[in-house]
Structure formats: structure tokens, C-alpha cells
DNA sequence: CATGTAAGTAAGTAATTACTTACTTACAGT
DNA sequence: ACTGTAAGTAAGTAATTACTTACTTACATG
């Protein structure tokens, strides 16, 4: 077995995600990592410190994985709406498919809970979200410059866009698909609203 | 002191909300309610059962409080966009102002965590969200019939709308206002996108 | 006054938890 | 062969936890 520390970190991510910080026991984490409990304490000193290390460990992984750029469609001749539609589906697909991402998402949910009690956790969560929002903001900024988009605060647009996917994917994980219905249709509905708005076109002549 | 049970239920809501289900101790709840711990067990048998009762107890309160109808603007001569803008601000205001609502929101966050482990909790959460979404769906349906809105799936629109506020208000609670910036501006940005979409109007001639 | 009910006090139980100490084993590099 | 390092085993500690038992107090109602 290689790299004991990493195995403990991975196990901790999983157990924290599924049990919450308080619910996760060091015994369970050690077992999940196939190490003796004492090894965990030798390497990480305390449970609290372990959480901190998990955070650091995944910060870098998040930044490379959650980089949206590879999720944008390859062909560049599509219009903005189609592009966003494909991007949205790719995000949703990536969220559903990748098992490790599911764990990360649940870990994020734990961070939400824990963030209210630990400022460092809140801060980590904040920078995590930032990573998702920034590249999208830049993308929107470009689209505005290219005249494809109205002159909207790109940050507002990013938060609305990313927020939708964070929110619905968490919902799906927790209360199942029944509530939200078919994934693709739901996303289409959102993208439709996001790009065109809900108003009738003839009522929009003032803009 | 009147109605011991209700005092325990209120205290439980608070403690569950701030500590999470696992983190909340029966001792702490009893202390918060100014009762002996044994009284708590006499009335509610077990911690698990107490959670269930808190859920039931607040289900009815939620349904009357979270009814959106009273948040709609009184004057009926405003256009849809203005109406939604006011509604959005009222929701945000209600979420920020009412302290008990803040507790409920945090309680909801706990439900998210706990819902993954307890199907009854997930189900309670689901019906809670339903209560928020249904009246809005009906409202949108009416607007479509009145020709004010495009023919969009009203449920999609409701989820997008409610989801935004649930999501951002949780974010604000957890990682503070720094991340999202000024509340009113942010909401304006969202309503703008929600009603008009992000596309340039001249690109929308196809619709 | 008698009696039932809602509450408290006190003490304790069995399990679990984070974390420690002391010792042993396996192995890699010199 | 010697030695340092990374790991395991075993046992235990002090605190906490959900929950119980047995008894007492206060009070309202018939």
C-alpha cells in the first residue's frame, strides 16, 4: 500500500461527506482507509486538523477539476444559447456521473453546515465557490464585449447560473429526482429562462 | 411556565439548527428549554422522535408563514417585472429580518444533511419546498394565461426563482455578505436576468 | 383532605468518542 | 548486521452521550 496519508485524506473526505463532521468518527475513517486509528492521529494529530488537511488537499483538486473550461462545447460556431445549453448539460452530467464528485458535493454540503461554526471552513467554502464563478464571469464578460450578451453584471449572471446547478444538484442528491423531474428537461427550462427571460417579447420593446 | 412541550420543541428547533442533529445534545436542548432533561424524555421518548415532532410542529407553521401570497405587492397595476422585483425584495427582506426564520432556514440546512440518512426527513424537506413552489407556479400559470409571460413550464420558472433565493440566503448566512455583495443590487441583477434573459434583443428575433 | 398529574432531583448505566501510551513488527538504506 | 522509519497491536483514559430508575415536590381538582 502506498501513500498512507493520501488514503486517510480520501477516506476522511468520504466519511465526512456521508456522516458530517460531528457524525464522522476517527475509527470509521481509519477503517475506511485501511489503517490503524493510531496512524491517523500520528499523521494528523487531531480530527479537527484532519478536516483542515482534507480542505487543503482538495482545494487544489477542485481547482483543476472544477475548471469549467473543458466543459464548454468544442465547436465554436454555435450561438450563445446553444453553447450555454451544452455547458449546462455537461455540468449536470459531470455532477451526476463522476462518483468522486458526488462525494465532493456532499462534502460541500457538510462545509455549509460546519462553516457556520468554523470561520476557516467558511472561508474555504467561499474560495471554492469563487473558483466556479470566476471563469464563468470572464466568459460572460467576453460575450458582452462580443455583443452577444446584454450589458449585465457578469458576476450576477455567474451566480445565477452556477447557483442553479449547485442548488438543483444538491436537491437531487438529498430528496431524489422525483421532486425536480427529468433532468434534461429541467435544465432546458432553466437555460431557456436564463437566456431569453420569462417576458413576452412584445412587452420588451422598452429594452 | 406554560406548555412545556412547546418550549422543548422551540428549543429543539434552535439547537438542531445551530448544532446539527448529531451535534445537538438532549442536555443542551433541555437546558435551552428550561426543563429537566428527564422531562424531555418523558414527553418525547427519544431524540429521534423529538426531531420528528419538531418537524410536524413546524410543518404547519411553515405553511402559513411561508405562504408567498402576502409578499406580493399590494397594488395590482404594476407590470410583471416590477411585481417580481418587489416580490423578490420582500422575500429577501423577510428572510433577513425575521429571526425565527433565520433559525428555520438553518434548520432546513440541517434537514438537507440529515435527509440523506433519514428518508422521513427527506420527505419532510420535499414537502416544505413544495409549499414554496406551488403558489408561485400557480401565479406564473395565471400570468401566462394573461399573456404577460411566455409559455414556459411554470414549475421550471418557480424552481429557478425560489432556488435563487434559497441558495443565496443560505450562502449569506454561511459565508457572509462579502461574497455576494450588496443584497438589493444582486437581487435586481437576478430579476433582470430572470425576466429579460441575458441575450441581446436583436438576437432574439427568432423567438 | 385526598389524590392524580406534571414537573424536578439525583444518581447511574452502557456505549461511544477523541486521543494516548507502550510496545512490536516490517522493511529500506547504509 | 545495524539502524531509522513507518506502520500495527493492544490496552486504556477521561469525557460525553442517550436514556433509565427511583424518589420527591408542587399544585390543581374533586
Amino acid at each position: 500500500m502506498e501513500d498512507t496519508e493520501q488514503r486517510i485524506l480520501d477516506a476522511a473526505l468520504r466519511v465526512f461527506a456521508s456522516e458530517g463532521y460531528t457524525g464522522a468518527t476517527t475509527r470509521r475513517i481509519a477503517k475506511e482507509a485501511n489503517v490503524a486509528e493510531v496512524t491517523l492521529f500520528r499523521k494528523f494529530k487531531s480530527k479537527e486538523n484532519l478536516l483542515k488537511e482534507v480542505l487543503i488537499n482538495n482545494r487544489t483538486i477542485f481547482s483543476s477539476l472544477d475548471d469549467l473550461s473543458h466543459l464548454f462545447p468544442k465547436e465554436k460556431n454555435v450561438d450563445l444559447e446553444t453553447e450555454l445549453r451544452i455547458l449546462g448539460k455537461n455540468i449536470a452530467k459531470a455532477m451526476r456521473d463522476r462518483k468522486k464528485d458526488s462525494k465532493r458535493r456532499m462534502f460541500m454540503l457538510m462545509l455549509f453546515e460546519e462553516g457556520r461554526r468554523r470561520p476557516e471552513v467558511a472561508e474555504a467554502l467561499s474560495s471554492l465557490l469563487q473558483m466556479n464563478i470566476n471563469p464563468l464571469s470572464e466568459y460572460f464578460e467576453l460575450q458582452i464585449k462580443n455583443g452577444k450578451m446584454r450589458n449585465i453584471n457578469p458576476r450576477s449572471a455567474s451566480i445565477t447560473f452556477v447557483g442553479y446547478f449547485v442548488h438543483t444538484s444538491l436537491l437531487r442528491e438529498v430528496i431524489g429526482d422525483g421532486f425536480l423531474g427529468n433532468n434534461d428537461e429541467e435544465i432546458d427550462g432553466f437555460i431557456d429562462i436564463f437566456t431569453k427571460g420569462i417576458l413576452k417579447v412584445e412587452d420588451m420593446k422598452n429594452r
Side-chain angles (χ1 to χ4, degrees), chain A:
Chain A
M1 313 245 172
E2 284 241 325
D3 209 343
T4 317
E5 292 195 29
Q6 190 55 47
R7 254 169 44 235
I8 296 174
L9 286 169
D10 288 346
L13 177 76
R14 289 199 301 273
V15 180
F16 281 145
S18 77
E19 310 295 324
Y21 177 77
T22 322
T25 71
T26 51
R27 197 182 291 178
R28 168 87 190 276
I29 294 170
K31 195 173 182 180
E32 195 96 357
N34 276 317
V35 295
E37 198 180 353
V38 74
T39 305
L40 184 155
F41 282 101
R42 263 197 288 251
K43 297 267 178 199
F44 296 98
K45 292 200 64 121
S46 71
K47 186 185 172 184
E48 197 171 332
N49 188 59
L50 176 59
L51 173 64
K52 202 151 74 183
E53 298 286 340
V54 171
L55 234 39
I56 294 170
N57 188 251
N58 283 277
R59 200 188 299 246
T60 55
I61 295 177
F62 266 117
S63 70
S64 69
L65 252 181
D66 284 354
D67 177 13
L68 295 172
S69 62
H70 72 285
L71 293 176
F72 278 104
K74 304 290 169 233
E75 329 140 46
K76 282 291 162 193
N77 289 344
V78 295
D79 60 49
L80 181 54
E81 182 177 352
T82 313
E83 192 162 49
L84 284 178
R85 197 178 300 278
I86 295 171
L87 173 63
K89 294 227 168 113
N90 284 348
I91 292 175
K93 191 177 184 316
M95 282 183 160
R96 250 178 313 138
D97 287 357
R98 297 209 303 262
K99 279 212 174 145
K100 197 158 193 181
D101 273 22
S102 162
K103 283 294 163 198
R104 286 224 184 74
R105 219 152 56 247
M106 288 299 97
F107 185 72
M108 245 179 92
L109 184 50
M110 186 225 71
L111 290 186
F112 262 80
E113 269 253 59
E114 212 48 32
R116 287 147 50 206
R117 289 179 282 264
R118 296 167 143 52
E120 351 97 55
V121 171
E123 207 253 330
L125 186 62
S126 169
S127 78
L128 229 157
L129 289 166
Q130 206 67 263
M131 278 175 205
N132 277 310
I133 283 171
N134 283 347
L136 202 60
S137 277
E138 284 165 32
Y139 170 75
F140 285 139
E141 217 157 340
L142 188 72
Q143 295 299 328
I144 293 170
K145 265 183 198 134
N146 288 352
K148 300 278 184 190
M149 236 176 97
R150 288 168 48 221
N151 190 22
I152 287 171
N153 181 351
R155 208 177 143 75
S156 287
S158 304
I159 288 172
T160 300
F161 193 86
V162 171
Y164 172 82
F165 288 100
V166 171
H167 184 241
T168 54
S169 79
L170 280 180
L171 266 187
R172 267 178 211 285
E173 203 102 16
V174 176
I175 62 180
D177 292 337
F179 183 78
L180 289 170
N182 179 280
N183 205 359
D184 281 350
E185 274 175 36
E186 200 52 60
I187 291 173
D188 277 334
F190 169 73
I191 299 285
D192 185 48
I193 292 170
F194 184 75
T195 51
K196 296 179 205 146
I198 63 166
L199 295 185
K200 278 219 158 172
V201 181
E202 54 257 42
D203 293 347
M204 287 176 59
K205 284 285 136 54
N206 49 344
R207 250 279 120 178

